[in-house]
Amino acid sequence: MNAENIADSEGNDLPTTPAVLLARLSALGLAHETVTHEAVFTVEQSTAVRARLPVLQQGVHIKNLFLRNKREEMWLVTAEAHRPIDLKQLGERIGAGRVSFGSPERLMRYLGVRPGSVTPLALINDTAHRVRLAVDRAVLDADIVWAHPLVNTMATRLSGADLRRFFTATGHTPAAIDFVA
């Protein structure tokens, strides 16, 4: 861990701070805005926060699943927050076979975040490109997308197009999933 580590809400060090991430977004020329809020761990908690903060009431909010399969392949799946997801079908759709949730230890090792803070922006920490990415087409096509900037006490606004540019900058090519089809 480097000198720019930050402790998350549980006092654990993170390999990249939200400030470093946001500076990277700016350096890439990606428009973004970040708001601070109380810690959220579920879609329901996030929905309650959005109801109280008008700035968060526009755009697409997401949920993120950190998954692994029997071959020890890691997957990050990002979908619209209220999208129902069947893990068995999802594994087939992304070509991973049977998937299960990755452990908190794997999550920290591969993406550098804690449970509750899983975000596509954590790909900044996957410099070895060991995590495969699948993203809901509705997220990629959105004018506004809200994601955690590595901690679950903030939300960062980007466009779907800028999120794609971020993926390119980190060396990750998302498999676009059309959950509606």
Side-chain angles (χ1 to χ4, degrees), residues 32 46 53-54 71 73 77 80-81 130 142:
H32 60 91
S46 177
L53 296 174
R71 295 182 303 269
E73 296 169 330
V77 176
E80 188 276 326
R130 295 185 62 195

Side-chain angles (χ1 to χ4, degrees), residues 131-159:
V131 178
R132 296 179 184 198
L133 176 64
V135 182
D136 189 336
R137 188 174 307 282
V139 172
L140 294 172
D141 294 341
D143 291 333
I144 298 172
V145 177
W146 290 95
H148 290 310
L150 309 176
V151 293
N152 64 355
T153 55
M154 292 188 250
T156 296
R157 177 194 47 79
L158 295 162
S159 68

Side-chain angles (χ1 to χ4, degrees), residues 43-121:
V43 170
E44 291 75 24
Q45 290 172 341
S46 177
T47 300
V49 168
R50 283 197 310 263
R52 290 190 306 278
L53 296 174
V55 69
L56 294 176
Q57 293 174 8
Q58 295 181 351
V60 172
H61 292 264
I62 59 176
K63 65 181 170 186
N64 300 278
L65 307 175
F66 179 66
L67 306 170
R68 63 178 284 264
N69 65 13
K70 288 184 178 186
R71 295 182 303 269
E72 295 293 318
E73 296 169 330
M74 301 301 142
W75 289 84
L76 175 61
V77 176
T78 298
E80 188 276 326
H82 293 286
R83 182 88 61 207
I85 297 177
D86 177 306
L87 278 187
K88 186 174 182 179
Q89 289 180 347
L90 177 62
E92 306 274 332
R93 287 185 82 178
I94 63 176
R98 186 173 163 208
V99 294
S100 60
F101 289 101
S103 68
E105 295 78 22
R106 276 192 174 94
L107 178 59
M108 180 55 75
R109 184 177 340 129
Y110 289 95
L111 291 178
V113 295
R114 297 281 176 209
S117 297
V118 181
T119 173
L121 300 176

